[in-house]
Amino acid sequence: MAAGARRAWAERVRALFPACPGYFRDEVAERLAARTVPAGLERQAVEEMVRSVIRHQLTDYDALLFKHTLTREEARQIVEREVEDLLAEWRGRAP
């Protein structure tokens, strides 16, 4: 994977989520650089990947799925507010 692609994705993440911590920005960039994203869908890809990283790493989503055997939809509903609050914070807006 080219370092240039990672840097380009990191800049996209930084533009959309300026308050995103560097560790998570780099992780999102790394994941996106490993994928083929159709032209014109870059913004959507960044937003979806940031949302996924927040959901899986910063909420109880995975525990709800595996430990409590909830469906994906049920687990997403439970953590949705927390994910939205972090998205707003990382965008530089108050939740």
Side-chain angles (χ1 to χ4, degrees), residues 4-95:
R6 284 192 305 270
R7 279 193 299 275
W9 281 112
E11 287 304 315
R12 287 184 176 111
V13 175
R14 190 183 335 266
L16 293 171
F17 298 96
C20 176
Y23 169 81
F24 295 110
R25 181 189 60 243
D26 294 345
E27 180 168 343
V28 169
E30 184 83 23
R31 289 182 182 197
L32 288 168
R35 297 172 186 252
T36 301
V37 176
L41 295 180
E42 296 89 354
R43 180 186 184 104
Q44 180 181 345
V46 168
E47 290 177 353
E48 288 177 8
M49 188 63 70
V50 168
R51 182 179 302 278
S52 177
V53 165
I54 289 171
R55 183 185 314 115
H56 287 278
Q57 295 189 23
L58 298 173
T59 72
D60 292 331
Y61 177 77
D62 289 333
L64 292 168
L65 286 178
F66 301 112
K67 187 175 181 183
H68 300 287
T69 63
L70 298 180
T71 66
R72 286 181 178 164
E73 185 58 35
E74 291 168 330
R76 284 182 182 192
Q77 287 176 352
I78 290 170
V79 302
E80 181 177 4
R81 181 77 262 147
E82 190 175 356
V83 171
E84 291 302 319
D85 287 349
L86 279 169
L87 285 170
E89 182 180 318
W90 288 8
R91 283 187 177 107
R93 301 181 201 139

